[in-house]
Amino acid sequence: MTQLQFPAGFLWGSATASFQIEGATTEDGRGESIWDRFCATPGKVMNGDTGDPACDHYHRWRDDIALMKDLGLHAYRFSIAWPRILPRGTGQVNPAGLDFYDRLVDGLLEAGITPFVTLYHWDLPQVLEDAGGWPNRNTASAFAHYADVVARRLGDRVRHWITLNEPWCSSVLSYWIGEHAPGIKNGPAVAAAHHLLLAHGLAVPAIRAASPGAQVGITLNFSPADPASDSEADRAAARRHDGFFNRWFLDPLYRGSYPVDMLEHYAKLNQSPPVQGGDLATIAAPIDFLGVNYYNRAVIRDDPEAGGPGYTFERPEGEYTHMDWEVHPDSLRRLLERLHAEYAPGPLYITENGAAYPDEVAPDGGVHDPDRTRYIERHLAACHAAMMAGVPLKGYFVWSLMDNFEWAWGYTRRFGIVYVDYATQRRIPKDSALFFRRVAAANAL
Ligand code: IFM
């Protein structure tokens, strides 16, 4: 392969999330989150795994920064645990929680690593869930208050803010499919999604006021949809999947409206977004960048018997990761080009991309993960191709810095470029980390 040069200033980073790495779930005044409750509910998380001690990052953050520095990373995307800052969701602020992130940000800056802060990566304070969770409109204003508290404390140093991570997961997966906390099936997911978007819209001006000149964006997870065949029915089903997963969030953010075909579809399921006057303008207020999380595509076959949106997923021949997700880098290229062409969100970042494989420590002490290395390499090539086609992609954050708590899969799925031995908390950079270090240093593939 000829060398693919990335533009000067392209950011090479890694990403994590609070609940997945921090541990210390009851320390220093942290309140309970919906994920603590979900983990404590038998049968919800594989092996009964919990958020403790995860990667014990709450105590080992200095070492983890040193690790990133050693890997030559320019940027680090992490999330703030809302229940550390406001243990009861609103009201009394917990100073120890703010202090933790304050130290983390200073440590990153001292190491020359740019912090990208995600405010919500799914750890809703349990008290807010008890009051109705995301289907309750009040949660959106509580989020704006929380964003204001954090931005006031860190906004002088943090220049990149992400309001929400993957609102599809915190609405549909959490209140309709029930695989994620709070684990509600067939609940008011459309209302949850609307209030998440509203929370984003309300938080943006609060962040801008407290962190003048900072860049504010949102991260969405995308599922590019290909029809299983050329039939009209499969193409319509793929379009439905696109609406359900991608357009449902993109359209209100970038067009100020929900997609009409999906409104009609959801109405048949007795769901509609509880829009109040001014909501859509709040949601669509301009932002500075779009964060793209991409792992795989979906191949869709129409199936009126399937319930819900009326389709099933095909499993084409190909390569699959330990999540049983198809490896399909060209869908990332197409996604980036489509986002740029159809929604013109301005600067884009890959805020997550990566793969789980069942890694083991080899007798020589290393962790040899050629499949992950190849996955990252091929997706970087796809990013490069999209940039050559004019997409303003500004950086790439690999998911994840280190192996961590993979939600309902517990610790059984390893996404890190750094291996974590959970018994000792030893970190071992995998071959993919060494590859990523070379790419970042050369700014080329
Ligand atoms: O681990 C998750 C992350 O929290 C959100 N995006 C997908 C990753 C892999 O499943």
Side-chain angles (χ1 to χ4, degrees):
M1 197 197 269
T2 51
Q3 211 194 33
L4 303 178
Q5 187 68 46
F6 283 74
F10 191 81
L11 278 189
W12 298 97
S14 68
T16 64
S18 47
F19 193 79
Q20 294 180 274
I21 64 163
E22 286 179 359
T25 59
T26 54
E27 252 178 78
D28 292 341
R30 179 187 176 282
E32 188 189 16
S33 79
I34 54 174
W35 272 94
D36 298 295
R37 182 70 64 91
F38 195 65
C39 291
T41 311
K44 297 295 185 194
V45 174
M46 207 167 271
N47 300 326
D49 288 343
T50 71
D52 267 311
C55 307
D56 194 29
H57 172 77
Y58 191 73
H59 300 113
R60 294 169 194 262
W61 58 273
R62 286 187 191 81
D63 296 342
D64 291 335
I65 290 176
L67 189 58
M68 284 187 266
K69 190 173 177 186
D70 185 55
L71 292 176
L73 302 185
H74 309 152
Y76 176 47
R77 172 177 177 240
F78 64 94
S79 78
I80 305 244
W82 184 346
R84 280 198 199 285
I85 309 300
L86 293 149
R88 301 206 50 78
T90 56
Q92 190 73 35
V93 173
N94 174 33
L98 282 174
D99 290 349
F100 170 69
Y101 296 107
D102 199 272
R103 289 191 294 269
L104 181 64
V105 165
D106 282 348
L108 288 165
L109 293 173
E110 271 163 38
I113 298 169
T114 302
F116 273 59
V117 170
T118 304
L119 285 163
Y120 187 69
H121 199 126
W122 310 347
D123 35 9
L124 184 72
Q126 180 63 43
V127 281
L128 294 184
E129 180 55 37
D130 295 341
W134 285 109
N136 179 348
R137 189 176 173 93
N138 293 340
T139 305
S141 38
F143 178 77
H145 169 63
Y146 153 66
D148 173 64
V149 169
V150 176
R152 277 174 198 270
R153 180 65 180 269
L154 304 180
D156 55 337
R157 286 152 291 153
V158 172
R159 314 311 299 147
H160 298 87
W161 296 91
I162 295 167
T163 52
L164 306 178
N165 180 68
E166 303 183 354
W168 183 87
C169 292
S170 25
S171 54
V172 179
L173 201 53
S174 303
Y175 292 94
W176 181 264
I177 299 172
E179 268 173 32
H180 275 190
I184 294 169
K185 290 193 170 55
N186 303 323
V190 172
H194 181 67
H195 295 142
L196 278 152
L197 286 168
L198 182 62
H200 156 83
L202 292 172
V204 170
I207 299 166
R208 289 203 200 288
S211 188
Q215 309 278 295
V216 187
I218 186 170
T219 281
L220 302 179
N221 53 322
F222 293 100
S223 179
D226 287 331
S229 78
D230 227 13
S231 75
E232 184 51 44
D234 286 349
R235 282 193 281 128
R239 175 97 185 130
R240 256 186 341 268
H241 179 74
D242 182 50
F244 173 62
F245 214 106
N246 307 319
R247 290 182 288 119
W248 189 257
F249 297 92
L250 284 166
D251 280 27
L253 285 165
Y254 292 103
R255 295 180 176 164
S257 58
Y258 283 107
V260 173
D261 59 333
M262 295 313 294
L263 283 170
E264 287 167 5
H265 185 75
Y266 278 132
K268 288 185 218 147
L269 301 173
N270 291 323
Q271 301 235 6
S272 62
V275 179
Q276 295 188 11
D279 284 5
L280 287 163
T282 301
I283 292 167
I287 50 176
D288 303 300
F289 64 89
L290 173 63
V292 175
N293 289 0
Y294 171 80
Y295 291 89
N296 60 346
R297 66 166 175 168
V299 178
I300 301 292
R301 187 172 295 286
D302 181 56
D303 182 356
E305 305 298 302
Y311 56 79
T312 50
F313 296 90
E314 294 277 293
R315 192 177 186 283
E317 285 293 308
E319 279 176 57
Y320 285 80
T321 70
H322 198 196
M323 299 295 285
D324 206 26
W325 293 349
E326 188 192 5
V327 179
H328 207 269
D330 198 49
S331 290
L332 174 57
R333 179 192 61 76
R334 285 189 290 146
L335 169 66
L336 291 171
E337 292 182 17
R338 175 211 180 175
L339 290 171
H340 180 57
E342 288 184 23
Y343 292 94
L348 291 149
Y349 290 92
I350 302 295
T351 40
E352 284 182 31
N353 175 240
Y357 289 103
D359 307 303
E360 284 174 6
V361 183
D364 66 5
V367 179
H368 308 305
D369 57 341
D371 291 339
R372 179 178 295 101
T373 302
R374 183 92 188 105
Y375 180 100
I376 295 171
E377 186 178 32
R378 292 173 66 194
H379 286 79
L380 285 174
C383 290
H384 190 273
M387 291 165 81
M388 291 295 101
V391 175
L393 185 68
K394 302 297 178 192
Y396 174 98
F397 292 78
V398 66
W399 184 270
S400 174
L401 171 63
M402 55 191 159
D403 297 335
N404 56 47
F405 175 81
E406 178 52 26
W407 307 110
W409 294 93
Y411 296 96
T412 65
R413 294 296 182 277
R414 293 181 177 272
F415 272 93
I417 56 169
V418 173
Y419 182 91
V420 176
D421 177 344
Y422 293 112
T424 61
Q425 289 297 339
R426 185 163 165 235
R427 276 75 161 135
I428 306 171
K430 303 177 190 175
D431 289 355
S432 57
L434 308 181
F435 161 78
F436 201 61
R437 170 161 65 190
R438 287 195 298 277
V439 173
N443 199 32
L445 192 60

